[in-house]
Amino acid sequence: MRIGFIGLGNMGSAMAANLVTAGHEVTAYNRSPGRVAELAERGAAPASTVAAACGGDVVITMLADDAAVEGVTFGTDGEPGIVDSLPSGAIHVSSSTISVDLAERIGAAHAKAGQRFVSAPVFGRPEAAAAAALFVVAAGAEDAVRDLAPVFDAVGQRTFEVSPDPKVANLVKLSGNFLIASVIESLGEAMALVGKAGVDKQTYLDLLTSTLFAAPAYKTYGGLIARDEFEPAGFAAHLGLKDVRLVLEAGEELEVALPIASLLRDRFLTLLAGGGRDLDWSACGALAAWEAGGPRPGQG
Amino acid sequence: MRIGFIGLGNMGSAMAANLVTAGHEVTAYNRSPGRVAELAERGAAPASTVAAACGGDVVITMLADDAAVEGVTFGTDGEPGIVDSLPSGAIHVSSSTISVDLAERIGAAHAKAGQRFVSAPVFGRPEAAAAAALFVVAAGAEDAVRDLAPVFDAVGQRTFEVSPDPKVANLVKLSGNFLIASVIESLGEAMALVGKAGVDKQTYLDLLTSTLFAAPAYKTYGGLIARDEFEPAGFAAHLGLKDVRLVLEAGEELEVALPIASLLRDRFLTLLAGGGRDLDWSACGALAAWEAGGPRPGQG
Amino acid sequence: MRIGFIGLGNMGSAMAANLVTAGHEVTAYNRSPGRVAELAERGAAPASTVAAACGGDVVITMLADDAAVEGVTFGTDGEPGIVDSLPSGAIHVSSSTISVDLAERIGAAHAKAGQRFVSAPVFGRPEAAAAAALFVVAAGAEDAVRDLAPVFDAVGQRTFEVSPDPKVANLVKLSGNFLIASVIESLGEAMALVGKAGVDKQTYLDLLTSTLFAAPAYKTYGGLIARDEFEPAGFAAHLGLKDVRLVLEAGEELEVALPIASLLRDRFLTLLAGGGRDLDWSACGALAAWEAGGPRPGQG
Amino acid sequence: MRIGFIGLGNMGSAMAANLVTAGHEVTAYNRSPGRVAELAERGAAPASTVAAACGGDVVITMLADDAAVEGVTFGTDGEPGIVDSLPSGAIHVSSSTISVDLAERIGAAHAKAGQRFVSAPVFGRPEAAAAAALFVVAAGAEDAVRDLAPVFDAVGQRTFEVSPDPKVANLVKLSGNFLIASVIESLGEAMALVGKAGVDKQTYLDLLTSTLFAAPAYKTYGGLIARDEFEPAGFAAHLGLKDVRLVLEAGEELEVALPIASLLRDRFLTLLAGGGRDLDWSACGALAAWEAGGPRPGQG
C-alpha cells in the first residue's frame, strides 16, 4: 500500500521502518528532518510537508500529544493539515495516545471530508516496535479496519478490534495507563506496610514477581518504588495526572464512577504539590510511605 | 530430620509427601484420619493425637484458619497442644495463613516454653505444592530459619527470609491477598468503563494479559469478572473481607494509611449487603459495573 | 450611583428592587421583558438591550449559568455585550455562580478594555434577598470593591472581601456548595448506619439538629434524605455534579487534593447512572443506604 | 426515686447535682472521694463502694471509657460490681460513651441477673449538663425507659427514644462523633483550597458560619483549624481514631459501607504517623493543607 507516516520518534521510526521492510511504499514526514533522512536510507520517500505525506491510501500519525496531533490533522500556521490533503476514501490512522475527545473531533472532520478514520494506539515499548511485535488496538468502521490488516500486520504481532467507533480505542489505551497507575498505588501501599514492619522492599518485590504478579508492570514500577528511583522520569508525573484526568472525563461522559481513578488523581496532585511534577509517575507509589512517616518523594 | 506434620488438606498432604520423599522422618496427624492413612502408605508414621506428632525436631502446622491453629497450638477440649508437647529447643513452623495477632501470641507462648517458632506461609496452589515448587515466606530467629533449610527446600523452589519476627511473614502473606483484591477492583473499574463503551470484556482482558499484565492474578480474576462467573466460589467474599480487615488492622498497628484497602473493605461490605457473602471474592469486581447501571452481583 | 442590572430572576429582582429603594438610579434589563415592567413600576428605568443597561457607573449581572453570563458579557448573535458597552473605568459586578475559569476570562477582557471587574456572588435564599440580608462575597481590586460599598450595603447584611483577584470569590462560592454536598454524603452514611440498626431517621435528624448540627444545611438536606423526598428537585443532581467538577478543577489548578470532593463526584455519577439526573442533589445521600441493601434512589 | 450515681467527672457531678435538686434520693460514688464530699454538701449520700451505690431503683454510670465502665459493671480487684449488687428489676443506666459491643455484653449480663439495662448517652457540654439542658439518647425496653422519665427530665431538656435495644443508643452517640469528624475533614479540604488561593481562613469561616453552617460544630472545629490551634487537645486524635474505628466496626456488623468513615480512619492514621497522637482531633483538618504543600500538623 501507499502509506504516509507522520511522526518519527522512537516508536514511529521503528514502525515506519517495518512498513518499508514489509514492502509498502512509505512517504515519511517529521517536524525535524533528521529522522526523515535516516528512514529515506532504508527506502522511504521523504516528505517536507504534511500534505506531501497525504497522497496515498493511508496516512499514519504517531505523535507526542493532543496538541501535535491536532496541529497536523487540522493544519497549523497556515500550512494545510491531513483533513485538507487526504484523498476521498483514504484512511487516517492515529496511533498516538490522545484523548477520547480529540479522537471524536478528528473522526467527525474526516467523515465530513469524505475520508475515513481509524484509531489504532499500540501497546509495547520501542524494542517491541523494532521487532514488529506491538499489540494494536484498532477501532473504526469495519471496512477500514479490514483494509488496514496489511499495515497492522507489518508493525504488530496481534490486532485487537475493539469497536466500530474510533475513540473507543483511545479509551482502551488510556485505561491501560489507569491500570498501571493502580499497580503503582497498590504496590506503594503494600510496600509502605511491610516496609514499616522491617521487610526489605526489593526482597518483597522479588517474592511478588516470582508468583502471582509475574508481570512487566509489577517488575518495572515495583523496582522503581523499591529503589526510590524517580529521576530521570520515564513517564513524568504531570503526564500521569493528565491520563488519569482523561480517564475520569471518559468515565463522566459514560456515567461510570471510578473510585481508584479518583484516588489516583488526588495522589498525583499531592505529588505535584510537593514539587514532584517532573518525577517519574511511579513516585506516586512513595506517597503511602510518606504519609506513614517517611520522606516526601522528591525531597528525600 | 524428624518432622511432625499437622493438617493434611490439599496443600498439607502434598507438602508432607514431599518431606517423606526428601528422606525426612515424618509423623503425620489430621483431625479426620483418612488422609493420615494415605500418607502412611507413602512412608509416614501415623499419629492419633497432636502430642504424638510433637516428638521430633520440628512440627509443621498447615490448617484452615486462626481457630484451627489456635486449638492445635494451645490444646483444646482437654487435649494437650503443641506448646504442651514440643521438646525444648524444637521448632513449630506455622505455614497456615493466620492473623498477625495470632502469630504474635503463638510466638510468645513458645518462647515462654523454651521452644522456637517460625512463621512460614507459602505462595502457590496445590499443583505447585505437589511439585515441591512453592514459594516459602519465612520469618523467625535466624538460627531457626537456618536449621529449617532442608525442610523448606523439600517443599518449595525458593525461600524468602523476611524478618526475625515471625508475625511479619503473616503480614507479607496477607499483603499478597490485598494486592490480588486491588487487581480485582482496578480491573472491575476498567471493565465497567470500556464495557459501557461497547468493548467486549474478554477481548479487553486478552489484550491486557498479552502485554503489561501477563500475570496469573490478572488472568484468573479478570476471566471471572469478564464472564460474571462468581459461583462456586474459589475464595468466598466473606473470607476476602476478613483478609482485608486483617491488613487494615496491621496498618492501624503500624500507623500506615491504606486507602485502597479502605476502599476494598467498603466494596466487600456492599457485596455482602447485597447477598454476596458466598460469591467468589472477584464479584467485588462487578460492583463498578453495577454502580454504572448494571445488575447487582449475585442478583443478575 | 447609576447602576445597570441584568438578570431579573427571583434573586435579581429582589436585589434590584433594594437598590432602587436605597436611592440608586437603576436601569434594568432582562431577556424576557415582563420582569422589567414590574421593576419599572418600583422606579427603575427599563432597558431593552444589554448595551442600554451599561451607561452608568456600575452594571450588575445576576444570571443562571456560565453560558448566560458569557453571552451577556461578550455579546451574542451580533448584539454588543458589556465589554463592548461599558464606559472606561466603570465596574462590572458579577453576582452569578459561575466557574473560576469564566471569571478569569471576563476579568481579563475588562482589564483590556480599561474597565473594572468585581466578582460578588451572594449567599442567601430569595427571602434573604428580599430582606436585603444577603451575605456578599466580594473579590476584585481594592478601589473597585471600596467604590461598591453602597451597592453591597443596599442588597446585603454583610460583605466579606476575600481577595484582590475576582475569580477567588467564585471559588469561595463553589466551595460552599462542596460543603453542602459533604453534609449530604456524611448524613447519608450516618442515616444508613443508624437506619439499618432500626432508628427512625427523622428522630435521628431531630436529635442532630437540636444539638451540634443546628444549621440550615443539616435541617434542609437531612429532612429530604430522611423523607426520601427527591422530587421535585430544588437543585438537580446534574447541577450538583457540575459544581463538584468545578471545585475539583480549581483544586487541580491549585494542586490541592480533595478526597471528599472526589468521593462526591463518584457518588453523583452513580446517581446519574441510575437515572437520577433530575432528582434533587440530596438523593446522593440515599446511595449509602442503597449500597447497604436498600432501594436505588429514584427507583424505589 | 432512689438513684445511685457512679462517676463524678465534670459531666457526672452536674447531672448528679440536678438529680438532687429535682428531689431524688441520690447516693454517689466516685473512685477519688473528693467529688463525693462536694456532692454530699448538696444533699447526696456518700457511698464508698460501687455496691453501696446499688441499693436503689436505678444506678447511673457516667465514666470515661469502656475499661472504667467494664470494671464498675462486672467488678474488679475482687470488689463486687453492679451486676453483683443491683436488686432484681432495678435499672442500670449507662450514660458514658462506650462501644456498641460493650453495651451489648452489659445488657446480656443484666438480663441474666434479672436486672434491667438502658443505654442513655447524652449530647451536650458541661455547661449544658449544669443547666439540666442535655439531650438524652435513650435505648432499652420500653417499660424501663418510661420508668426513667423523671430521671431524664431532671438532667436534660429532651429525651430521644431511639430503640428497644440498648446498644443502639451507643451507635447513635458514636455516629455523632463521626459527623463531627466529617465536618473537620470537609472544612479542612475547603480551607486548604481557598487558603491556597489566598483567602484568609478566619474570614472564610466567618462567612460559612454566618450562613449555611451556623452550627456549633463548624464554629468550634473550624476555628481550631483556621488558627492551627491543636494543643492542648480538647479531644485527642487517638481517641478520635478509636471512635471512627468503633463506627466502622458497627458498619461492618450491619453491612453498611461508610466511605467517609474509611477516609477519616486513613486521615487519623496519617496524623498519628506524623507524631500527632495527642493533638486535638481537629488537626485532621490540617492534613489537606499539608498534602497541598503546607507544614505537617504538629511539626509546623
Side-chain angles (χ1 to χ4, degrees):
Chain A
M1 299 175 79
R2 290 175 306 135
I3 301 171
F5 203 104
I6 296 175
L8 300 173
N10 290 338
M11 295 293 290
S13 306
M15 292 166 71
N18 283 324
L19 289 166
V20 172
T21 303
H24 296 291
E25 205 174 304
V26 176
T27 305
Y29 170 80
N30 197 49
R31 206 173 41 178
S32 51
R35 291 293 184 96
V36 177
E38 282 173 41
L39 203 69
E41 285 175 28
R42 305 181 71 153
S48 56
T49 62
V50 166
C54 289
D57 313 301
V58 170
V59 65
I60 302 175
T61 46
M62 186 63 183
L63 296 154
D65 56 22
D66 272 33
V69 175
E70 194 164 4
V72 157
T73 303
F74 297 106
T76 179
D77 298 327
E79 252 207 277
I82 298 174
V83 173
D84 308 309
S85 315
L86 205 63
S88 172
I91 310 175
H92 174 189
V93 178
S94 164
S95 289
S96 318
T97 298
I98 56 170
S99 69
V100 170
D101 184 61
L102 177 58
E104 184 151 42
R105 286 189 289 125
I106 293 178
H110 284 304
K112 205 170 156 189
Q115 300 146 352
R116 295 186 288 171
F117 178 61
V118 169
S119 256
V122 296
F123 278 85
R125 299 172 59 81
E127 307 90 84
L134 294 170
F135 293 87
V136 178
V137 184
E142 209 180 319
D143 65 294
V145 174
R146 196 177 48 230
D147 291 353
L148 290 165
V151 173
F152 296 149
D153 289 351
V155 300
Q157 63 174 287
R158 188 165 163 196
T159 300
F160 296 86
E161 289 190 44
V162 295
S163 174
D165 181 358
K167 70 172 183 285
V168 173
N170 302 91
L171 179 61
V172 166
K173 172 72 183 175
L174 283 168
S175 81
N177 280 1
F178 156 66
L179 286 169
I180 294 173
S182 301
V183 168
I184 290 171
E185 171 64 21
S186 57
L187 276 179
E189 295 185 17
M191 285 187 182
L193 182 68
V194 303
K196 206 164 173 183
V199 177
D200 177 73
K201 291 182 179 181
Q202 189 62 55
T203 301
Y204 179 67
L205 183 64
D206 287 350
L207 165 63
L208 296 177
T209 56
S210 297
T211 54
L212 283 158
F213 304 100
Y218 284 80
K219 285 176 191 163
T220 305
Y221 297 105
L224 297 175
I225 300 171
R227 295 189 302 274
D228 265 317
E229 186 182 305
F230 306 127
E231 292 174 289
F235 186 64
H238 68 95
L239 296 175
L241 173 59
K242 189 202 68 178
D243 279 5
V244 168
R245 190 200 310 123
L246 292 174
V247 165
L248 286 167
E249 284 173 7
E252 191 165 329
E253 184 69 27
L254 290 162
E255 294 179 350
V256 181
L258 300 167
I260 290 189
S262 289
L263 169 62
L264 292 170
R265 184 186 167 285
D266 287 330
R267 287 298 209 191
F268 276 114
L269 288 176
T270 299
L271 189 58
L272 266 61
R277 177 183 170 80
D278 296 316
L279 296 180
D280 191 75
W281 67 331
S282 56
C284 264
L287 291 173
W290 169 59
E291 288 184 344
R296 189 156 194 162
Q299 302 185 351
Chain B
M1 298 177 82
R2 291 175 305 135
I3 302 171
F5 203 104
I6 298 175
L8 301 173
N10 291 339
M11 295 292 290
S13 307
M15 291 166 72
N18 282 325
L19 288 165
V20 172
T21 304
H24 296 291
E25 205 173 304
V26 176
T27 306
Y29 170 80
N30 197 50
R31 206 172 42 180
S32 51
R35 290 293 184 96
V36 178
E38 282 174 41
L39 202 68
E41 285 176 27
R42 305 180 71 153
S48 55
T49 62
V50 166
C54 289
D57 312 302
V58 171
V59 64
I60 301 175
T61 46
M62 187 64 183
L63 297 154
D65 55 24
D66 271 33
V69 175
E70 194 165 4
V72 157
T73 303
F74 297 106
T76 179
D77 299 327
E79 251 208 277
I82 298 173
V83 173
D84 308 310
S85 315
L86 205 62
S88 172
I91 310 175
H92 174 190
V93 178
S94 164
S95 289
S96 319
T97 297
I98 58 171
S99 69
V100 170
D101 185 60
L102 179 57
E104 184 152 41
R105 285 189 289 125
I106 293 178
H110 282 304
K112 205 172 156 187
Q115 300 146 353
R116 295 186 288 171
F117 177 61
V118 169
S119 256
V122 296
F123 279 84
R125 299 172 59 82
E127 308 90 84
L134 294 169
F135 292 87
V136 179
V137 184
E142 210 182 318
D143 64 293
V145 174
R146 197 177 47 229
D147 291 353
L148 291 166
V151 173
F152 296 149
D153 289 350
V155 301
Q157 63 174 287
R158 187 166 164 196
T159 300
F160 295 86
E161 290 190 44
V162 294
S163 174
D165 181 359
K167 70 174 182 287
V168 173
N170 302 92
L171 179 61
V172 166
K173 173 70 183 176
L174 284 168
S175 80
N177 280 1
F178 156 66
L179 286 170
I180 295 173
S182 301
V183 168
I184 290 171
E185 170 65 21
S186 56
L187 276 179
E189 295 184 18
M191 285 187 181
L193 182 68
V194 303
K196 207 162 174 184
V199 177
D200 177 71
K201 290 182 180 183
Q202 190 62 54
T203 301
Y204 178 69
L205 184 65
D206 288 350
L207 164 63
L208 295 176
T209 56
S210 298
T211 54
L212 283 158
F213 304 100
Y218 284 80
K219 285 177 192 162
T220 305
Y221 297 106
L224 297 175
I225 299 170
R227 297 189 300 275
D228 265 316
E229 186 182 305
F230 306 127
E231 292 175 290
F235 186 64
H238 67 95
L239 297 175
L241 174 59
K242 189 202 67 178
D243 279 4
V244 168
R245 190 202 309 124
L246 292 175
V247 165
L248 285 168
E249 285 174 5
E252 191 165 328
E253 184 71 26
L254 290 162
E255 294 179 349
V256 181
L258 301 165
I260 290 189
S262 290
L263 169 63
L264 291 170
R265 184 185 167 283
D266 287 330
R267 287 297 210 191
F268 277 113
L269 288 176
T270 299
L271 189 59
L272 266 61
R277 177 184 171 79
D278 296 317
L279 296 181
D280 190 75
W281 67 331
S282 56
C284 263
L287 291 173
W290 169 59
E291 286 184 345
R296 188 156 196 162
Q299 302 185 353
Chain C
M1 297 176 81
R2 289 175 306 136
I3 302 171
F5 204 104
I6 297 176
L8 300 173
N10 290 338
M11 294 292 290
S13 308
M15 291 166 71
N18 282 324
L19 288 166
V20 172
T21 303
H24 296 291
E25 205 175 304
V26 176
T27 306
Y29 171 80
N30 196 51
R31 206 172 44 180
S32 52
R35 290 294 183 97
V36 177
E38 282 174 42
L39 202 68
E41 286 176 26
R42 304 181 71 151
S48 56
T49 63
V50 166
C54 289
D57 312 302
V58 171
V59 65
I60 301 175
T61 47
M62 187 64 184
L63 296 154
D65 56 22
D66 271 33
V69 175
E70 195 165 3
V72 156
T73 302
F74 297 106
T76 181
D77 298 328
E79 251 208 276
I82 297 174
V83 173
D84 307 310
S85 315
L86 205 62
S88 174
I91 310 175
H92 174 191
V93 177
S94 163
S95 289
S96 318
T97 297
I98 59 171
S99 70
V100 170
D101 185 59
L102 178 57
E104 184 152 41
R105 286 190 287 125
I106 293 178
H110 284 303
K112 208 172 153 187
Q115 300 145 353
R116 296 187 286 171
F117 177 61
V118 169
S119 257
V122 295
F123 279 84
R125 299 172 60 81
E127 308 88 83
L134 294 169
F135 291 87
V136 179
V137 184
E142 209 182 318
D143 63 295
V145 175
R146 197 178 45 229
D147 291 353
L148 290 166
V151 173
F152 296 150
D153 290 350
V155 301
Q157 62 174 287
R158 186 163 164 198
T159 301
F160 296 85
E161 290 190 45
V162 295
S163 174
D165 181 359
K167 70 173 183 287
V168 173
N170 302 93
L171 178 61
V172 166
K173 172 72 182 175
L174 283 167
S175 81
N177 280 1
F178 157 66
L179 285 170
I180 295 174
S182 301
V183 169
I184 290 171
E185 171 64 21
S186 57
L187 276 179
E189 294 185 17
M191 284 188 182
L193 182 68
V194 303
K196 208 164 172 182
V199 177
D200 177 72
K201 290 181 179 183
Q202 190 62 54
T203 300
Y204 179 67
L205 183 65
D206 289 349
L207 165 64
L208 295 177
T209 55
S210 299
T211 54
L212 283 158
F213 305 99
Y218 285 79
K219 285 177 193 162
T220 306
Y221 297 105
L224 297 174
I225 299 170
R227 296 189 300 274
D228 266 317
E229 186 182 304
F230 305 127
E231 290 174 292
F235 185 65
H238 67 94
L239 297 175
L241 174 59
K242 190 202 66 177
D243 279 4
V244 168
R245 191 202 307 122
L246 292 175
V247 165
L248 286 167
E249 285 174 6
E252 192 164 329
E253 184 71 25
L254 290 163
E255 294 179 348
V256 180
L258 300 167
I260 291 189
S262 290
L263 169 63
L264 291 170
R265 183 185 167 283
D266 286 331
R267 288 298 209 191
F268 276 114
L269 288 176
T270 299
L271 189 58
L272 265 62
R277 179 182 169 78
D278 296 316
L279 296 181
D280 190 76
W281 67 330
S282 57
C284 263
L287 291 173
W290 170 58
E291 287 184 345
R296 188 156 195 161
Q299 302 185 352
Chain D
M1 297 175 82
R2 289 176 308 135
I3 301 171
F5 203 103
I6 297 176
L8 300 174
N10 291 338
M11 295 291 289
S13 307
M15 292 165 71
N18 283 324
L19 288 165
V20 172
T21 303
H24 295 291
E25 202 174 309
V26 177
T27 305
Y29 171 79
N30 197 50
R31 208 173 40 179
S32 50
R35 291 293 184 96
V36 176
E38 282 174 42
L39 203 68
E41 284 175 28
R42 305 181 70 151
S48 56
T49 62
V50 166
C54 290
D57 312 301
V58 171
V59 64
I60 302 175
T61 46
M62 186 63 183
L63 296 154
D65 55 23
D66 272 34
V69 175
E70 195 165 2
V72 157
T73 303
F74 297 107
T76 180
D77 299 326
E79 252 208 275
I82 298 174
V83 173
D84 308 309
S85 315
L86 205 61
S88 174
I91 310 174
H92 174 189
V93 177
S94 164
S95 289
S96 318
T97 298
I98 58 171
S99 70
V100 169
D101 185 60
L102 178 58
E104 185 153 41
R105 286 190 288 124
I106 293 178
H110 283 304
K112 206 172 154 189
Q115 300 145 354
R116 296 185 287 171
F117 178 61
V118 169
S119 256
V122 295
F123 278 85
R125 299 172 60 81
E127 308 87 87
L134 295 169
F135 291 88
V136 178
V137 184
E142 208 181 320
D143 64 294
V145 174
R146 197 177 46 228
D147 292 353
L148 290 166
V151 172
F152 296 150
D153 290 350
V155 301
Q157 63 174 288
R158 186 163 163 198
T159 300
F160 296 85
E161 289 190 45
V162 294
S163 174
D165 181 358
K167 69 173 183 286
V168 173
N170 302 92
L171 179 61
V172 166
K173 173 71 183 177
L174 284 168
S175 80
N177 279 1
F178 157 67
L179 286 170
I180 294 174
S182 301
V183 168
I184 290 171
E185 171 64 21
S186 57
L187 275 180
E189 294 185 17
M191 284 188 181
L193 182 67
V194 303
K196 208 164 172 183
V199 177
D200 177 72
K201 290 182 180 182
Q202 190 62 54
T203 301
Y204 179 66
L205 184 65
D206 288 349
L207 164 64
L208 295 176
T209 55
S210 298
T211 54
L212 282 158
F213 304 100
Y218 285 80
K219 285 176 193 165
T220 304
Y221 297 106
L224 296 175
I225 300 170
R227 296 190 301 275
D228 265 317
E229 185 182 306
F230 305 127
E231 291 174 290
F235 186 63
H238 68 95
L239 297 175
L241 174 59
K242 190 202 66 178
D243 279 4
V244 168
R245 190 201 310 122
L246 292 175
V247 165
L248 285 167
E249 285 175 6
E252 192 165 329
E253 185 70 26
L254 290 163
E255 293 179 350
V256 180
L258 300 166
I260 290 189
S262 289
L263 169 62
L264 291 171
R265 184 186 167 284
D266 286 331
R267 287 298 210 190
F268 276 114
L269 288 176
T270 299
L271 189 59
L272 266 62
R277 179 182 169 78
D278 297 315
L279 296 181
D280 191 75
W281 67 329
S282 56
C284 263
L287 291 172
W290 169 59
E291 287 184 344
R296 189 156 195 161
Q299 302 185 352

